Amino acid sequence: MNTINNNTDFLLSIENLTVSFDGFKAVDDLNLYVDENEIHVIIGPNGAGKTTVLDLICGRTRSTDGSIKFRNKELTDMREHEIVREGVGRKFQNPSIYEDLTVFENLELSFPRGRSVWGALTFQRDQDVKTRVHEIAGMVFLDELLDKQAALLSHGQKQWLEIGMLLIQDPELLMLDEPVAGMSVSERKQTAKLLNEITKGRSVMVVEHDMKFVEDIAHRVTVLHQGKILSEGSMAKVQADPKVIDVYLGH
Ligand code: ADP
Ligand code: MG
């Protein structure tokens, strides 16, 4: 039988993905799958290729080879904004919020622009936006701070605001690069709660070094090393893997 069925039940299906920078393979023949409603965490030493994987998915970096399918649609030849429109949201390591605007305004600005420009619909739209902003602010622990200027938020609150700015776009896959770096212990706990909350109805891919945090959120863990998978499975499984202890956790 020569029939090849390339369709998959996974939300995200990465196969044979490779990117080469002047001959150096930062991601090397990677296969990685993300289910619906899954929190999938990528860990591994610095330079393992974790951020590059997220860059490839969101179209910031072009692959050299391989395939990235999101709902069975090939992403590797799409532009960044088209990938966003498909339902993939990405948070970078440093929060990119508008410091001089309020929390409310930051969230409002991130509300997806509709195609309609008819004036008659404006009032209803304003109400919808307001309701949604309040809803999201509640989820990211900022509902009491809607009128506060973003510059005055704590580092952790800025991270939450940016997560909120992504959530308001309602992505089906949300990607976060080191979301708890620089956060206090209690902020980390709250962020874990937040991520567990928002996975109802979407999938999340997280790159993180904080093992306690990873333990609190991960449904599945992929350990990357030199652009390849070193180990994969539950947190308990990868933590007990001698290869992982050797190149990463033991340090
Ligand atoms: P991690 O996030 O796991 O720490 P990265 O994905 O940032 O690692 O980087 C993996 C490797 O690829 C590193 O050696 C890095 O220097 C290299 N790299 C990443 N992006 C580029 C680029 N645009 N050009 C050249 N090398 C890059
Ligand atoms: Mg990185």
Side-chain angles (χ1 to χ4, degrees), residues 21 24 26 45-52:
F21 299 117
F24 166 72
N46 283 328
K50 305 180 297 295
T51 297
T52 305

Short mmCIF file of all heavy atoms in Angstrom, two decimals, residues 21 24 26 45-52, ligand 1:
data_model
loop_
_atom_site.label_atom_id
_atom_site.label_comp_id
_atom_site.label_asym_id
_atom_site.label_seq_id
_atom_site.Cartn_x
_atom_site.Cartn_y
_atom_site.Cartn_z
N PHE A 21 22.29 26.94 11.20
CA PHE A 21 22.85 28.29 11.11
C PHE A 21 24.30 28.15 10.66
O PHE A 21 25.14 27.73 11.46
CB PHE A 21 22.79 29.01 12.46
CG PHE A 21 21.40 29.19 13.01
CD1 PHE A 21 21.02 28.59 14.21
CD2 PHE A 21 20.46 29.98 12.36
CE1 PHE A 21 19.75 28.78 14.75
CE2 PHE A 21 19.18 30.16 12.87
CZ PHE A 21 18.82 29.57 14.07
N PHE A 24 25.74 24.87 11.53
CA PHE A 24 25.49 24.40 12.91
C PHE A 24 24.00 24.13 13.09
O PHE A 24 23.17 25.01 12.90
CB PHE A 24 25.96 25.46 13.91
CG PHE A 24 25.47 25.26 15.30
CD1 PHE A 24 25.98 24.23 16.09
CD2 PHE A 24 24.47 26.07 15.83
CE1 PHE A 24 25.51 24.03 17.38
CE2 PHE A 24 23.98 25.88 17.12
CZ PHE A 24 24.51 24.86 17.89
N ALA A 26 21.06 23.93 15.15
CA ALA A 26 20.51 24.32 16.46
C ALA A 26 19.33 23.42 16.82
O ALA A 26 19.08 23.13 17.99
CB ALA A 26 20.09 25.78 16.44
N PRO A 45 19.68 22.13 28.88
CA PRO A 45 20.73 23.12 29.16
C PRO A 45 20.69 24.32 28.22
O PRO A 45 20.06 24.27 27.17
CB PRO A 45 22.03 22.32 28.96
CG PRO A 45 21.66 21.07 28.24
CD PRO A 45 20.21 20.82 28.49
N ASN A 46 21.37 25.38 28.60
CA ASN A 46 21.45 26.57 27.74
C ASN A 46 22.05 26.19 26.39
O ASN A 46 22.99 25.40 26.33
CB ASN A 46 22.32 27.65 28.39
CG ASN A 46 21.56 28.38 29.48
OD1 ASN A 46 20.34 28.53 29.41
ND2 ASN A 46 22.27 28.79 30.53
N GLY A 47 21.46 26.73 25.35
CA GLY A 47 21.96 26.46 24.00
C GLY A 47 21.42 25.17 23.40
O GLY A 47 21.80 24.77 22.30
N ALA A 48 20.50 24.50 24.11
CA ALA A 48 19.95 23.23 23.64
C ALA A 48 19.08 23.39 22.39
O ALA A 48 18.85 22.43 21.66
CB ALA A 48 19.14 22.57 24.75
N GLY A 49 18.57 24.61 22.18
CA GLY A 49 17.70 24.84 21.02
C GLY A 49 16.25 25.08 21.40
O GLY A 49 15.38 25.15 20.52
N LYS A 50 15.97 25.28 22.68
CA LYS A 50 14.58 25.43 23.17
C LYS A 50 13.90 26.66 22.55
O LYS A 50 12.81 26.57 21.99
CB LYS A 50 14.56 25.52 24.71
CG LYS A 50 15.25 24.36 25.41
CD LYS A 50 15.21 24.48 26.93
CE LYS A 50 15.94 25.69 27.50
NZ LYS A 50 17.41 25.68 27.29
N THR A 51 14.56 27.81 22.69
CA THR A 51 13.97 29.04 22.15
C THR A 51 13.85 28.96 20.63
O THR A 51 12.85 29.40 20.05
CB THR A 51 14.83 30.27 22.56
OG1 THR A 51 14.80 30.37 23.99
CG2 THR A 51 14.30 31.55 21.96
N THR A 52 14.82 28.33 20.00
CA THR A 52 14.79 28.19 18.54
C THR A 52 13.56 27.38 18.10
O THR A 52 12.94 27.70 17.08
CB THR A 52 16.09 27.54 18.03
OG1 THR A 52 17.20 28.31 18.51
CG2 THR A 52 16.14 27.49 16.52
P1 ADP B 1 18.15 27.67 24.44
O1 ADP B 1 16.90 28.50 24.34
O2 ADP B 1 17.90 26.22 24.62
O3 ADP B 1 19.09 28.18 25.50
P2 ADP B 1 18.64 28.66 21.77
O4 ADP B 1 17.54 28.04 21.00
O5 ADP B 1 18.51 30.09 22.10
O6 ADP B 1 18.96 27.79 23.06
O7 ADP B 1 19.99 28.49 20.94
C1 ADP B 1 20.44 27.23 20.46
C2 ADP B 1 21.73 27.43 19.71
O8 ADP B 1 21.49 28.06 18.45
C3 ADP B 1 22.74 28.32 20.43
O9 ADP B 1 24.03 27.78 20.22
C4 ADP B 1 22.57 29.65 19.75
O10 ADP B 1 23.77 30.39 19.81
C5 ADP B 1 22.24 29.25 18.33
N1 ADP B 1 21.37 30.22 17.63
C6 ADP B 1 20.12 30.56 17.96
N2 ADP B 1 19.60 31.46 17.11
C7 ADP B 1 20.58 31.70 16.19
C8 ADP B 1 20.68 32.53 15.02
N3 ADP B 1 19.65 33.29 14.62
N4 ADP B 1 21.84 32.51 14.33
C9 ADP B 1 22.86 31.74 14.73
N5 ADP B 1 22.85 30.93 15.80
C10 ADP B 1 21.72 30.90 16.53
#
